[in-house]
Amino acid sequence: MRWWLTLIALLMLNACIPHGPSPQRPPRRLPPSPVAQAPSAQETLQCHVDLARLGVQFRVLPDQYFSGGCSALGAVQLVDIGVPVTNLRAMTCPLARQFARWAREAVQPAAGQWLGTRVARIETFGTYSCRTVDSQPGARLSEHGRANAVDVSGFVLGDGRHITVLQGWNGEDERVRRFLRAVHQAGCRRFAIGLSPDSDSYHYNHMHFDMGRGPYCH
Ligand SMILES: [Zn+2]
């Protein structure tokens, strides 16, 4: 009789084991590592409000994950910040907010003070770029790979002059040197990190600003 009881027990146990696919669970779709942290909806909304208050025109971009751990989360496309800017693409909203403030509160006053004119165009090498720090193999992901950095390369002035970081940073014209250092210092106060030709040889022709882990200014 014992074999019969054992059979019953086994059949009952079997009935308790779920068959086929396990109970419904949402599919796990993980972005590639290292995982970038998306800003909270509240942070993003506040940033949009701040941009609107600054009178900035912008477009909200969808969150995007790319290969190599790169991403553009909570990003915007700046359309009009009051001065034309070249090569601006996806920027995290906090970066865009500080960039708009920097252009208005620092670049224009510094141009008036040191160069006696306005800046008619800010030139950049761009924002989003999926690469490692200084494009060095094995280095950690650059803030550019998170759309969280911008490289400023030059300025076109209202009087037609063209100032580049490459020629002006250590150039002959003292007023240009002072202007460039003034906007770099002002950038350091607004962004988490500010780099310049004084930082290292990788930055010989631009100022790098990002909203990564700072503060660091050189
Ligand atoms: Zn850079």
Side-chain angles (χ1 to χ4, degrees):
M1 219 36 162
R2 199 179 257 178
W3 66 268
W4 192 78
L5 283 171
T6 307
L7 182 64
I8 297 272
L10 277 173
L11 283 170
M12 284 178 70
L13 184 67
N14 194 36
C16 295
I17 298 169
H19 294 262
S22 54
Q24 287 303 307
R25 216 186 270 170
R28 294 183 75 203
R29 215 177 280 158
L30 289 179
S33 168
V35 181
Q37 283 281 323
S40 74
Q42 195 181 352
E43 279 174 302
T44 300
L45 182 64
Q46 182 61 54
C47 188
H48 294 169
V49 168
D50 292 342
L51 283 180
R53 282 202 185 124
L54 287 167
V56 166
Q57 285 180 36
F58 62 100
R59 273 203 319 274
V60 176
L61 300 177
D63 284 350
Q64 291 187 87
Y65 292 96
F66 304 99
S67 59
C70 292
S71 60
L73 308 179
V76 298
Q77 167 76 54
L78 289 179
V79 176
D80 185 357
I81 64 166
V83 60
V85 186
T86 61
N87 295 322
L88 285 191
R89 293 173 67 190
M91 302 171 93
T92 60
C93 191
L95 177 73
R97 176 172 55 193
Q98 294 312 86
F99 189 84
R101 286 176 177 157
W102 172 75
R104 180 173 310 182
E105 299 166 3
V107 174
Q108 293 298 9
Q113 182 181 353
W114 296 109
L115 307 169
T117 183
R118 281 180 59 79
V119 164
R121 189 168 73 227
I122 299 173
E123 296 178 321
T124 84
F125 289 149
T127 51
Y128 174 79
S129 170
C130 191
R131 62 178 193 243
T132 56
V133 170
D134 298 327
S135 301
Q136 293 304 291
R140 68 187 160 77
L141 186 68
S142 164
E143 289 299 320
H144 287 285
R146 299 188 182 93
N148 205 24
V150 57
D151 289 335
V152 176
S153 57
F155 303 87
V156 175
L157 305 182
D159 58 17
R161 275 184 288 169
H162 185 206
I163 289 174
T164 62
V165 175
L166 171 65
Q167 294 179 326
W169 188 265
N170 290 314
E172 302 270 285
D173 192 329
E174 190 195 343
R175 299 185 79 78
V176 168
R177 292 202 305 272
R178 290 198 177 227
F179 164 74
L180 289 174
R181 280 162 180 76
V183 296
H184 175 256
Q185 283 298 317
C188 284
R189 289 194 291 276
R190 288 169 177 79
F191 301 95
I193 288 177
L195 304 174
S196 73
D198 288 342
S199 305
D200 54 51
S201 56
Y202 297 110
H203 297 87
Y204 71 102
N205 62 354
H206 66 277
M207 301 179 214
H208 165 105
F209 298 121
D210 75 55
M211 294 300 281
R213 222 173 279 173
Y216 182 78
C217 177
H218 196 260

